[in-house]
Amino acid sequence: MNEQVKNSGVEISPSYFETQLVNSQNSSTYSLKITNYESKPIALELSLGEFDQTPNTLMNYLVSSNKYKENIEPHVITVEAEQTRAYEFKVQIPQDCKAKETCNLALVLKLKPTDEETTTTTFEQAIPLYVTNTRNTEEDNYSMKSSFEIKIKVPKIIISEETNIKIETKNTGDTYTEPDIYAQFYNLKLLNNERQKKTEFKNIYNNGVKILPKKKFGKEIRYSTNNLEHIEIETIVEEQNQTIKSQSTDFWIIPPKFVIYTAVIIVLLTLITVSLIRFKVLSKILKRSK
Amino acid sequence: MNKKTLLTVSFSILFILALVKLPIQASAQNMSSDNYEIIDPTINSGGDDSSSSDNYKMEFSAGGEFNDERFESSNYKVGSGTGYTFMANVPKISYFEANDEKMNNICGYGGCYDRARFEIDPQNNPEDTLYSIEISDNDWSTVNYVDGITHQIKTNKDIDDYQTINSWQNGSWSEYNILGLNSQTEYKIRARALHGDFTESSPGPEKSTNTTNTTIFMDLDVSSESWRSSNPPYNITLGNISTNSVVTAPNYIWTSIGTNAQGGATISAYDLHGGLYSNNTDNLIESKNQNLETADSGFGIRIDTSKRLLDTGDPGYLRENLEYASSETNSVGGLSSSDHSYKVVLCTLRESTGHCNQGTGAPVHLSRTAIMLKAKASLQDEASDDYSDTITFSSIGTF
């Protein structure tokens, strides 16, 4: 399929940028390698827009493309047929973006028909610019924060051999972050709740993808066992191997067979006790009757 | 004391002596007198120039240790002496790639820019042997380590960073197993093995790979056939729009995407007029989510899910927003021209049955799907031959 499709289309590399702006910085320069697989030259119109992330799948999508049309130079570039070329773009950082801690700008390259042409369908490719404003911390006593909220939803007592545990995380910081989120399960001593040993490790989020501020991520993980266990689940959010948040909760997991065995043992013990009492009473009666 | 116990005790004493004396070996000096010179002798653990005169120089041996550093070159190393028998075998890296066919089938179009996969050759070490992975991007001027839990790169290591081959390579880590790499960088890795206390081997031979750059590819083609390429401008005609029945454009808009964005990519759409607009009559056939079968009039797009095409070994699937792929044949999704009106139409997911509101974003090699245009007019819509709209499809990756 590759070869057939590649008779046309446009390839752009790299397909995202991260920029740290210092206080006085107004502009930034980006370099892109663009390949035109079409058999004719194409013109690409440049603009600056914004992107966001979808609520459940946390995938980037374009929100606007022409919001800061004048903030990029050049405005139009031409790529020859079946050619690859590197281009430099100068982006003037918009004022309203500079006022925020994090700004989700997107460099948009739109396929433009020539003056003689009209089109009913066209496409554009957006390159996310993850912009972070590094403010003068001495001046306003401010520093960027990475913080996370974790919610672990699991019943305290589970009578089953397995359970689903819902882990919800939210980037409550004021900057995007690329976290590693995982859960570790520990066996707790039945008497003093001391951690005994690590029983399981589960990845929750480790795809190397940025989560924008205020975005939530949730996942259900499964825990199963054949034994009666008192378990502690610890959810850890790490960023560059540093723990930025961890949260623990504990639960009892009681397999049904254990409940049945216990019930059987109790019933048997009761029967034995009752029998013994009856036997004793019977013996006494027999003795008296003699 | 029997013979066996005596042998065990003697051997233990010799072994302890060997361990104590090992550092001395490393700094052994040439043995020489007026008559001879022996270059670089480090003969054994108990070696010492304890007896000498003008004519000779002797080194005593207190044990059976033998560890001559001349038994090592850049090509080989002989692990002589009993100390080596306790050490784990030096492991090799049998596979380390970010951009071969296998990794492209994991990372998508353009290969891996931030991750790679390695596989360890245990060199006859037992199954429960632990391995640590050393990594460098500057030819070992600095040595970093792969975290045994998160598989990210870190500057120091602890015992959690020693894992079995099964932990390093299987389960959650059966595809890639090193994360957090920089794009367009050459990395070298090597492994050490550990099988019990004080048994860590020296690092094995290195293996290198290059990460790629982040890439996104997009194409549109207007055609009735799956594979036909068309050059821009991409013009598609609906023909005569009827007042009684729904009209479908005879050609499809084929949308192709390829990316190594690990969080996947979306394709959104917006249009120029918010429907089919006639300049001559100033009339708009509005675009909105609706079933045109029952609506008076309308215009929209619909994804033909039967025309979904995947590349061989594609790690993801081009899936749809359900608004644009209703089960009703003539239901369409609307487009809007107002500001901030992009609507996600397609997305690339790991799950073959997912949709754009549910699933995990994933990269794709090259996936292609067909989009149909559908319209219907009402009696109130004035006839004209200039009803038109311009639809823009926008792709963006998630990183």
Side-chain angles (χ1 to χ4, degrees), chain B residues 85-100:
Chain B
T85 63
F86 295 98
M87 283 166 64
N89 295 336
V90 177
K92 286 181 180 173
I93 299 291
S94 56
Y95 177 85
F96 182 42
E97 287 292 345
N99 192 26
D100 65 353

Side-chain angles (χ1 to χ4, degrees), chain A residues 2 8 11 38 60 124 207, chain B residues 109 219 231 266 311 342 394:
Chain A
N2 293 17
S8 57
E11 180 184 305
E38 304 283 349
N60 290 348
E124 59 192 18
N207 58 356
Chain B
Y109 186 94
D219 186 29
N231 281 323
T266 58
D311 201 2
Y342 283 84
S394 311

Side-chain angles (χ1 to χ4, degrees), chain A residues 2 6 8 10-13 15 38-40 60 62-63 65 118-120 122 124 126 180 206-207 210 241, chain B residues 109 115 152-153 173 214 216 218-219 231-232 234-236 266 311 340 342 391 393-395 397-399:
Chain A
N2 293 17
K6 272 212 173 159
S8 57
V10 178
E11 180 184 305
I12 300 177
S13 184
S15 43
E38 304 283 349
S39 56
K40 59 181 275 191
N60 290 348
L62 203 58
V63 174
S65 61
T118 56
T119 187
T120 56
T122 189
E124 59 192 18
D180 268 308
N206 74 330
N207 58 356
K210 294 168 185 59
N241 292 309
Chain B
Y109 186 94
R115 63 198 63 202
Q152 298 273 352
I153 310 301
W173 305 106
T214 54
I216 193 161
M218 191 181 180
D219 186 29
N231 281 323
Y234 306 109
N235 283 308
I236 184 165
T266 58
D311 201 2
H340 287 51
Y342 283 84
I391 305 170
F393 293 92
S394 311
S395 66
T398 308
F399 299 94

Side-chain angles (χ1 to χ4, degrees), chain B residues 33-344:
Chain B
S33 75
D34 292 344
N35 302 324
Y36 70 89
E37 183 177 30
I38 299 174
I39 306 293
D40 196 22
T42 50
I43 60 162
N44 59 52
S45 60
D48 199 354
D49 53 345
S50 55
S51 180
S52 62
S53 75
D54 288 347
N55 300 322
Y56 74 94
K57 188 174 183 182
M58 181 181 280
E59 289 219 358
F60 289 119
S61 171
E65 282 297 295
F66 194 92
N67 191 4
D68 193 322
E69 62 198 47
R70 287 169 297 178
F71 286 178
E72 183 178 356
S73 79
S74 55
N75 300 321
Y76 73 93
K77 182 175 183 178
V78 176
S80 55
T82 47
Y84 280 99
T85 63
F86 295 98
M87 283 166 64
N89 295 336
V90 177
K92 286 181 180 173
I93 299 291
S94 56
Y95 177 85
F96 182 42
E97 287 292 345
N99 192 26
D100 65 353
E101 193 185 343
K102 182 177 170 180
M103 294 314 291
N104 287 0
N105 286 347
I106 291 166
C107 290
Y109 186 94
C112 305
Y113 60 89
D114 69 339
R115 63 198 63 202
R117 176 169 180 79
F118 65 85
E119 284 167 14
I120 300 166
D121 175 351
Q123 291 287 300
N124 296 322
N125 279 313
E127 205 178 312
D128 60 347
T129 303
L130 303 174
Y131 300 87
S132 75
I133 307 297
E134 297 178 353
I135 186 163
S136 178
D137 62 359
N138 53 15
D139 205 16
W140 305 112
S141 296
T142 50
V143 179
N144 289 318
Y145 305 93
V146 181
D147 189 297
I149 294 173
T150 63
H151 290 220
Q152 298 273 352
I153 310 301
K154 59 197 242 184
T155 52
N156 47 23
K157 63 176 174 178
D158 56 41
I159 193 63
D160 282 343
D161 304 321
Y162 289 80
Q163 299 284 336
T164 60
I165 287 182
N166 191 43
S167 296
W168 279 122
Q169 296 174 192
N170 302 326
S172 311
W173 305 106
S174 57
E175 292 187 332
Y176 51 84
N177 53 9
I178 300 187
L179 280 164
L181 304 178
N182 292 320
S183 60
Q184 292 186 295
T185 306
E186 186 190 26
Y187 283 94
K188 289 180 175 177
I189 65 164
R190 60 193 185 194
R192 285 175 188 265
L194 178 73
H195 191 245
D197 292 345
F198 312 116
T199 62
E200 186 178 49
S201 73
S202 41
E206 68 185 29
K207 211 165 180 75
S208 66
T209 191
N210 286 288
T211 52
T212 65
N213 208 347
T214 54
T215 305
I216 193 161
F217 167 87
M218 191 181 180
D219 186 29
L220 289 187
D221 292 300
V222 171
S223 165
S224 58
E225 294 171 35
S226 350
W227 304 118
R228 182 176 289 169
S229 280
S230 61
N231 281 323
Y234 306 109
N235 283 308
I236 184 165
T237 50
L238 270 159
N240 289 327
I241 304 171
S242 161
T243 52
N244 296 321
S245 57
V246 180
V247 175
T248 304
N251 283 327
Y252 291 106
I253 303 165
W254 289 96
T255 312
S256 304
I257 190 162
T259 183
N260 54 6
Q262 292 305 307
T266 58
I267 296 175
S268 308
Y270 74 101
D271 73 344
L272 186 64
H273 300 299
L276 291 171
Y277 177 69
S278 163
N279 213 21
N280 293 342
T281 62
D282 193 27
N283 186 48
L284 178 74
I285 299 175
E286 203 183 341
S287 180
K288 55 186 175 189
N289 292 353
Q290 59 187 341
N291 184 351
L292 295 180
E293 205 81 61
T294 51
D296 288 341
S297 74
F299 164 69
I301 60 173
R302 177 179 168 76
I303 298 161
D304 188 339
T305 52
S306 67
K307 303 280 183 192
R308 201 182 288 123
L309 299 166
L310 293 172
D311 201 2
T312 315
D314 211 314
Y317 300 88
L318 185 56
R319 301 293 301 174
E320 55 281 334
N321 178 347
L322 293 178
E323 279 181 30
Y324 296 93
S326 157
S327 56
E328 291 155 336
T329 319
N330 285 317
S331 278
V332 291
L335 299 163
S336 175
S337 62
S338 63
D339 195 25
H340 287 51
S341 59
Y342 283 84
K343 292 177 84 175
V344 174

Side-chain angles (χ1 to χ4, degrees), chain A residues 33 83 99 145:
Chain A
K33 198 173 83 180
Q83 293 293 310
K145 288 189 295 288

